[in-house]
Amino acid sequence: MSEQPKIAFMASDTAIALEAQRHLSAQYGSVDPEAADIIVALGGDGFMLQTLHGTQHLDTPVYGMNCGTIGFLMNEYHEPGLMERLADAEEEVINPLKMRAISADGKVHEALAINEVSLLRAGPQAAKLRISIDGKVRLDELVCDGALVSTPAGSTAYNYSAHGPILPIGSDVLALTAMSAFRPRRWRGALLPAGAEVRFDVLQSKKRPVMADADSRSAGNVVSVEIRSEPTIRHRILFDPGHGLEERLIREQFV
């Protein structure tokens, strides 16, 4: 990386983030993302995910500065010394999940998810799901409000709220977590190899409709959903030293 990298400042549509974008662009200059050495995302975790999805074809590292609330994927917002922070930043590389969902009308929905792919009941009755791993049925019937498959990077998001495990970065595992499991009673889920392919078949889909969601990219009334890691796509995220995903994942478990 050159001593003075070309930076693309991208901001969410909040007033705080847009004001930060104006200040930083005036101080350090800003280029289009396609011409940038580093992309600086200004917003919260949701905008960070949006930025990573939107720039994945560039293979350009993204450094987030928190202008939102939680900011798990972000660094603290400070305007002074940005060049030094970027020069010292540590890089984490994560691979997304690929979702392939089929709706009742036969339409195929494909999407990538950095955090998780989730299935949620879309009606008043609990969902009934059959779960297969690498082509082998592992659970004939899960009665629940939903289920999700999470990456290590996303394990502190929706997965954690559903009482799923926090996964260390580099652990090469995925978390399969149930939401409000009724049968098997209180079934919490499973840890799976990163290379596993997970398939959900929706049972009684007309009576018990289910929707699928990959990082807020939704498909309605699905009858089956296949999920696997996509190693050919990588997201490069920059963190201040000592504040990377590995440290954050460990720290989160002792809060």
Side-chain angles (χ1 to χ4, degrees), residues 5-220:
K6 294 177 288 184
I7 304 174
F9 290 102
M10 302 177 65
S12 68
D13 57 4
T14 66
I16 293 175
L18 292 171
E19 184 67 14
Q21 183 184 39
R22 286 191 289 270
H23 285 178
L24 291 167
S25 296
Q27 291 181 60
Y28 300 103
S30 185
V31 301
D32 289 335
E34 287 76 11
D37 297 312
I38 297 175
I39 295 169
V40 174
L42 304 166
D45 284 335
F47 183 70
M48 184 62 160
L49 293 177
Q50 179 182 328
T51 302
L52 292 171
H53 281 298
T55 62
Q56 68 186 28
H57 63 289
L58 300 176
D59 194 39
T60 303
V62 180
Y63 179 89
M65 295 181 75
N66 189 23
C67 296
T69 51
I70 298 175
F72 185 79
L73 295 174
M74 318 298 279
N75 300 284
E76 291 185 4
Y77 181 84
H78 294 299
E79 293 183 16
L82 178 60
M83 289 299 181
E84 291 76 12
R85 292 174 71 187
L86 294 178
D88 294 338
E90 300 171 348
E91 181 174 303
E92 302 274 9
V93 177
I94 60 176
N95 303 112
L97 297 172
K98 183 175 183 179
M99 175 187 80
R100 186 176 188 273
I102 300 178
S103 297
D105 60 5
K107 185 175 181 179
V108 177
H109 306 265
E110 293 188 342
L112 296 172
I114 297 167
N115 274 357
E116 77 281 315
V117 174
S118 56
L119 284 76
L120 303 166
R121 73 176 191 180
Q125 294 185 315
K128 287 190 175 183
L129 307 173
R130 181 169 61 237
I131 302 175
S132 302
I133 310 297
D134 294 329
K136 182 175 182 178
V137 176
R138 293 292 184 176
L139 194 56
D140 286 313
E141 183 179 275
L142 171 65
V143 183
C144 57
D145 280 349
L148 62 84
V149 176
S150 169
T151 67
S155 63
T156 60
Y158 197 0
N159 172 72
Y160 193 35
S161 298
H163 305 290
I166 293 179
L167 306 176
I169 295 297
S171 58
D172 287 330
V173 295
L174 304 174
L176 194 169
T177 301
M179 288 169 270
S180 302
F182 176 72
R183 188 182 302 118
R185 182 71 73 179
R186 291 187 293 274
W187 185 73
R188 295 287 293 275
L191 295 177
L192 306 172
E197 181 173 296
V198 183
R199 178 184 172 97
F200 294 97
D201 288 289
V202 180
L203 309 178
Q204 302 177 16
S205 60
K206 290 184 178 179
K207 181 180 179 181
R208 303 171 184 268
V210 168
M211 63 169 286
D213 185 280
D215 281 358
S216 300
R217 293 163 172 80
S218 299

Side-chain angles (χ1 to χ4, degrees), residues 243-254:
H243 298 277
L245 280 180
E246 192 75 60
E247 167 63 22
R248 294 176 187 216
L249 289 168
I250 294 173
R251 189 176 61 211
E252 190 72 21
Q253 298 174 82
F254 293 91

